[in-house]
């Protein structure tokens, strides 16, 4: 019986391993390994583990990740070395945090559609007015950012 | 209707995705070992840089025009191609990946006008992935390929060409030389010229039955397809390869045995890994090596080896390949290339058992499964057979390699905020 449970655990892991993106998994229900001989009463109620991918990456084909550098969006909660999720499938909205391409540089700014501006949240950095004819493109919306409070492995 | 979506200058466009400052600029991508130009952006083509030109011959020209040069970065191209395929799956229930940069779509039953549907595909792939594509739509695969050529050639198509009526494809066929037709190679073109067939239209008017007797069933199919009758079936699952080859030219010439053995071991493991992926066993292998044909006393030799039993065990294949190389090796020569081909392959399921040999043991099966799962989890080559060596002096030259932006944590782009 124990072996049967173990196999189930393995198939569960195999499933995650075969996914396209490396995913972090947290046990939703972890009781079934402990049973040594008795069938777990939880057996019939097992659900798949939660996956961060499912939550943060709504459009896998249109999403990539970047590292943030610098602290000009610090007041808005993006710190140096944060992991930014960039989704190109989302339509940029007023107030969105975006990755913008300005004159050959990629940068992370807040989009102010009403005033045609890209805002740096930290007052010690300038915001950028978009002039006509300037080479600007929005490369993607940042719906989520992830911070490693112990740094990254 | 069948659609084909083709990535424009695929590898060059992949390199531009995470380098937006390079869009609309000349970019070239070099082959493995930085030997030849294998992809050029539109702007690079406009500078007169030809397909497959040797890099060392045009390096000066590239520098003069400030062309950005890249070594080929297959992890990146593979991932981007995968993303394109996933996105296309939202437009059609069945997508056939024909090559890394071309995909057929079954568009049967789509109610939206084909032209606007094609434009929507093109726009979405650009918005989601930043890959520029051209779309061709027609009743057959061969016509769809023709439509795709038109979408690339004529600016007013705006990247999408739909051929629904015979007058539309006939107009195009009259302007298309026959060698541009899918499946018509240079040999066939010559034979067709002898029959006074020069354009795609001439071919479409030929009698399919008579041409079949003259040449082959394939030409009959092509003629039927050119007239809007689909004959070439949709293949969602790519057919298993009948042979698997793995070989490379060296970054520098090799004149001792040890690095040759290392190289052949590496290629043997790679080929066997592919073999396991398509769930097959190998019975015979083909091992070859040669020196540079441009140098004096050119030496080239090859040998086929029958393995002791049908297997997908990396160690067995490596062992045979090493023996073969030792046999083929000659002292005092400077080798340019070695390679291995798995030439006789059988699906694992159809294996016939040998009366006198038990075949591959379960234990080896399990070992190979573990090897593959460790490598898929921790990256290619994380666990390898020691014979393929550690440091690889003979490895490829990749001087202009871009980061693996989407497949390695350390290579993610850094964005200044």
């Amino acid at each position: 019986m124990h072996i049967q449970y173990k196999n189930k655990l393995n198939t569960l892991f195999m499933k995650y391993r075969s996914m396209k993106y490396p995913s972090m998994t947290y046990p939703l229900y972890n009781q079934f390994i402990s049973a040594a001989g008795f069938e777990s009463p939880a057996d019939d109620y097992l659900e798949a583990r939660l996956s961060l991918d499912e939550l943060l990456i709504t459009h896998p084909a249109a999403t990539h990740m970047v590292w943030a550098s610098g602290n000009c969006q610090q007041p808005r909660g993006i710190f140096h070395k944060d992991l930014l999720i960039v989704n190109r499938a989302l339509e940029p909205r007023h107030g969105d945090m975006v990755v913008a391409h300005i004159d050959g540089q990629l940068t992370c700014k807040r989009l102010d559609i009403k005033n045609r501006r890209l805002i740096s949240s930290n007052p010690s950095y300038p915001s950028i007015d978009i002039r006509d004819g300037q080479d600007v493109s929005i490369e993607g919306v940042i719906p989520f950012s992830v911070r490693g409070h112990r740094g990254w492995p | 209707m069948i659609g084909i979506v083709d990535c424009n200058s695929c590898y060059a466009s992949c390199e531009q995705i995470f380098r937006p400052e390079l869009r609309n600029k000349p970019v070239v991508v070099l082959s493995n070992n930085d030997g030849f130009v294998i992809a050029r952006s539109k702007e690079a083509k406009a500078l007169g840089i030809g397909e497959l030109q040797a890099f060392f011959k045009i390096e000066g020209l590239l520098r003069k025009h400030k062309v950005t040069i890249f070594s080929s970065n297959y992890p990146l191209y593979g991932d981007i191609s995968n993303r394109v395929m996933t996105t296309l799956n939202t437009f059609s229930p069945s997508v056939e990946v024909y090559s890394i940069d071309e995909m057929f779509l079954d568009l049967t039953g789509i109610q939206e006008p084909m032209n606007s549907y094609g434009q929507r595909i093109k726009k979405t792939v650009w918005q989601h992935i930043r890959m520029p594509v051209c779309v061709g739509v027609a009743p057959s695969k061969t016509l769809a390929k023709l439509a795709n050529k038109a979408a690339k050639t004529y600016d007013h198509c705006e990247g999408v060409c739909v051929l629904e009526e015979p007058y539309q494809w006939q107009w195009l066929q009259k302007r298309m030389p026959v060698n541009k037709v899918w499946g018509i190679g240079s040999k066939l073109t010559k034979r067709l010229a002898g029959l006074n067939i020069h354009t795609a239209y001439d071919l479409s008017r030929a009698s399919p039955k008579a041409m079949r007797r003259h040449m082959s069933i394939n030409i009959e199919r092509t003629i039927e397809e050119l007239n809007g009758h689909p004959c070439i079936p949709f293949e969602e699952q790519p057919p298993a390869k009948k042979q698997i080859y793995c070989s490379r030219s060296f970054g520098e010439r090799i004149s001792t045995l040890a690095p040759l053995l290392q190289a052949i071991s590496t290629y043997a493991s790679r080929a066997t890994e592919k073999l396991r992926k398509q769930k097959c066993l190998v019975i015979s292998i083909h091992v070859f090596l040669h020196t540079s044909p441009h140098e004096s006393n050119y030496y080239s030799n090859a040998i086929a080896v029958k393995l002791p039993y049908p297997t997908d065990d990396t160690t067995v294949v490596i062992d045979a390949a090493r023996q073969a190389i030792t046999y083929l090796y000659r002292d005092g020569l400077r080798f340019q290339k070695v390679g291995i081909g798995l030439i006789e392959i059988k699906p694992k399921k159809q294996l016939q058992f040998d009366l006198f040999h038990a075949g591959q043991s379960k234990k080896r099966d399990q070992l190979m499964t573990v090897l593959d799962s460790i490598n898929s989890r921790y990256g290619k080559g994380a666990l390898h057979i020691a014979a393929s060596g550690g440091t690889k002096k003979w490895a490829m030259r990749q001087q202009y390699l871009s980061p693996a932006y989407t497949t390695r944590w350390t290579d993610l782009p850094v964005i200044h905020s």
Side-chain angles (χ1 to χ4, degrees):
Chain A
M1 205 51 86
H2 185 73
I3 288 167
Q4 192 188 336
Y5 293 135
K6 222 173 133 191
N7 279 343
K8 223 166 230 165
L9 189 69
N10 277 340
T11 47
L12 212 66
F13 279 137
M14 289 309 283
K15 190 180 150 215
Y16 283 109
R17 211 177 286 161
S18 65
M19 281 173 63
K20 182 80 188 79
Y21 294 92
S23 56
M24 291 163 249
T25 56
Y26 298 103
L28 181 67
Y29 215 103
N30 203 13
Q31 297 303 310
F32 52 89
I33 342 171
S34 58
F38 287 103
E39 198 170 337
S40 159
D43 208 20
D44 290 342
Y45 301 93
L46 276 182
E47 292 179 3
R49 286 186 181 186
L50 294 178
S51 143
L52 272 181
D53 273 17
E54 197 185 314
L55 189 69
L56 304 184
I57 302 178
T58 46
H59 302 81
T63 301
H64 65 275
M65 288 171 272
V66 301
W67 296 115
S69 155
N71 53 6
C72 97
Q73 298 297 353
Q74 205 159 312
R76 281 276 164 171
I78 293 182
F79 288 73
H80 185 59
K81 287 201 168 168
D82 277 2
L83 182 70
L84 310 181
I85 315 283
V86 185
N87 186 332
R88 297 192 205 262
L90 301 173
E91 208 55 56
R93 284 192 227 142
H94 179 73
D96 269 341
M97 200 60 85
V98 297
V99 172
H101 170 234
I102 312 164
D103 297 329
Q105 279 278 330
L106 281 174
T107 149
C108 161
K109 297 281 177 218
R110 204 153 56 81
L111 183 64
D112 180 352
I113 292 182
K114 286 172 191 157
N115 302 307
R116 288 172 60 85
R117 275 199 312 170
L118 291 166
I119 302 173
S120 300
S121 306
N122 192 331
S124 46
Y125 293 87
S127 292
I128 297 165
D129 288 304
I130 302 170
R131 298 183 308 272
D132 284 330
Q134 196 175 15
D135 190 11
V136 175
S137 62
I138 303 300
E139 287 298 310
V141 174
I142 304 173
F144 303 103
S145 58
V146 184
R147 176 149 348 118
H149 290 281
R150 276 188 170 191
W152 296 101
Chain B
M1 293 294 264
I2 291 171
I4 183 164
V5 176
D6 182 314
C7 302
N8 302 345
S9 321
C10 182
Y11 299 168
S13 301
C14 284
E15 297 291 352
Q16 289 167 321
I17 291 175
F18 295 99
R19 300 276 304 272
E21 80 277 11
L22 295 179
R23 287 180 201 148
N24 307 315
K25 298 262 160 56
V27 169
V28 297
V29 178
L30 305 177
S31 63
N32 273 333
N33 231 347
D34 294 347
F36 301 91
V37 172
I38 50 166
R40 307 154 289 159
S41 70
K42 206 168 59 199
E43 295 72 21
K45 284 177 193 164
L47 289 174
I49 298 159
E51 176 99 67
L52 294 179
Q53 283 193 321
F55 175 51
F56 75 92
K57 278 191 188 158
I58 56 163
E59 196 172 353
L61 181 77
L62 297 178
R63 303 245 180 262
K64 194 176 120 200
H65 292 290
K66 299 216 167 81
V67 179
T68 312
I69 303 160
F70 289 99
S71 305
S72 28
N73 182 348
Y74 286 103
L76 176 67
Y77 311 152
D79 180 58
I80 298 301
S81 167
N82 225 311
R83 286 164 184 255
V84 172
M85 200 251 312
T86 314
T87 308
L88 293 180
N89 254 324
T90 63
F91 287 93
S92 162
S94 47
V95 175
E96 175 190 334
V97 178
Y98 179 64
S99 69
I100 193 165
D101 59 350
E102 287 172 293
M103 284 138 212
F104 284 111
L105 272 65
D106 185 356
L107 299 177
T108 313
I110 304 289
Q111 298 297 311
E112 195 176 328
M114 276 303 145
N115 212 347
S116 82
Y117 202 65
Q119 285 295 347
R120 217 144 59 78
I121 291 175
K122 184 183 154 210
K123 206 183 133 202
T124 307
V125 175
W126 172 258
Q127 195 202 333
H128 286 198
I129 303 160
R130 293 292 190 270
M131 173 57 72
V133 296
C134 281
V135 185
V137 183
S140 70
K141 278 183 166 180
T142 307
L143 280 177
K145 290 277 280 188
L146 217 58
N148 196 281
K149 284 240 160 61
K152 279 212 163 99
T153 316
Y154 301 106
D155 281 341
H156 65 264
C157 286
E158 291 174 343
V160 177
C161 174
V162 181
L163 303 174
E164 274 166 319
E165 302 292 336
Y167 77 90
Q168 292 172 316
W169 64 68
Q170 283 167 4
W171 183 92
L172 194 63
Q173 285 168 353
K174 284 175 187 160
R175 284 157 183 79
M176 212 51 103
V178 74
N179 66 337
K180 299 275 186 222
V181 175
W182 192 36
I184 305 291
S186 56
K187 260 193 196 155
L188 217 47
T189 308
K190 266 188 207 147
R191 288 183 68 186
L192 290 171
L195 297 168
N196 216 9
I197 294 175
H198 301 288
T199 66
Y201 182 73
D202 297 341
L203 183 60
S204 77
R205 296 290 94 188
S207 151
K209 292 280 172 266
M211 292 297 274
R212 176 181 181 167
R213 261 177 278 122
H214 257 296
M215 295 179 183
S216 71
I217 184 160
N218 291 332
I219 194 114
E220 181 189 11
R221 280 201 207 158
T222 303
I223 295 169
E224 290 292 353
E225 287 237 326
L226 281 174
N227 286 296
H229 312 302
C231 298
I232 300 172
F234 226 79
E235 288 169 357
E236 275 179 74
Q237 279 283 324
K241 282 206 185 114
K242 290 185 187 127
Q243 299 191 331
I244 300 172
Y245 269 85
C246 189
S247 70
R248 299 273 186 288
S249 297
F250 297 122
E252 51 191 74
R253 304 271 186 270
I254 303 290
S255 46
T256 52
L257 184 59
L260 288 180
L261 290 174
Q262 252 186 43
I264 200 69
S265 306
T266 307
Y267 304 151
S269 349
R270 237 178 257 158
T272 324
E273 204 182 308
K274 283 185 196 163
L275 178 78
R276 287 195 294 270
K277 225 175 211 167
Q278 65 176 48
K279 299 204 170 49
C280 287
L281 300 175
V282 56
I283 299 159
S284 305
I285 63 171
H286 174 227
V287 179
F288 56 94
L289 82 182
H290 63 76
T291 62
S292 166
H294 302 300
E295 287 173 21
S296 55
N297 56 38
Y298 171 59
Y299 169 76
S300 167
N301 207 347
I303 187 175
V305 183
K306 197 166 166 132
L307 299 172
Y309 50 89
T311 182
D312 62 2
D313 183 342
T314 304
T315 55
V316 175
V317 179
I318 285 185
D319 195 40
R322 284 169 60 98
Q323 286 183 33
I325 284 292
T326 315
Y327 174 78
L328 296 172
Y329 173 79
R330 299 285 177 277
D331 260 333
L333 293 172
R334 289 153 39 83
F335 288 96
Q336 184 194 29
K337 189 173 192 172
V338 298
I340 178 171
L342 312 183
I343 46 173
E344 197 185 345
I345 292 177
K346 284 252 163 70
K348 208 165 181 173
K349 274 193 193 145
Q350 299 169 10
L351 175 69
Q352 285 215 344
F353 287 99
D354 192 322
L355 186 59
F356 301 107
H357 197 290
Q360 185 164 308
S361 69
K362 262 236 156 67
K363 265 196 165 159
R364 304 305 287 189
D365 277 352
Q366 287 166 345
L367 180 66
M368 290 303 123
T369 312
V370 169
L371 179 73
D372 287 339
S373 60
I374 287 180
N375 283 336
S376 89
R377 187 163 176 185
Y378 295 103
K380 268 217 161 82
L383 186 67
H384 61 259
I385 311 295
S388 37
T391 53
K392 291 174 180 161
K393 247 187 90 185
W394 47 269
M396 282 196 283
R397 235 191 329 243
Q398 292 184 305
Q399 209 182 331
Y400 309 98
L401 188 62
S402 56
Y405 292 112
T406 56
T407 50
R408 239 173 267 156
W409 290 108
T410 47
D411 284 10
L412 297 188
V414 174
I415 304 244
H416 297 273
S417 61

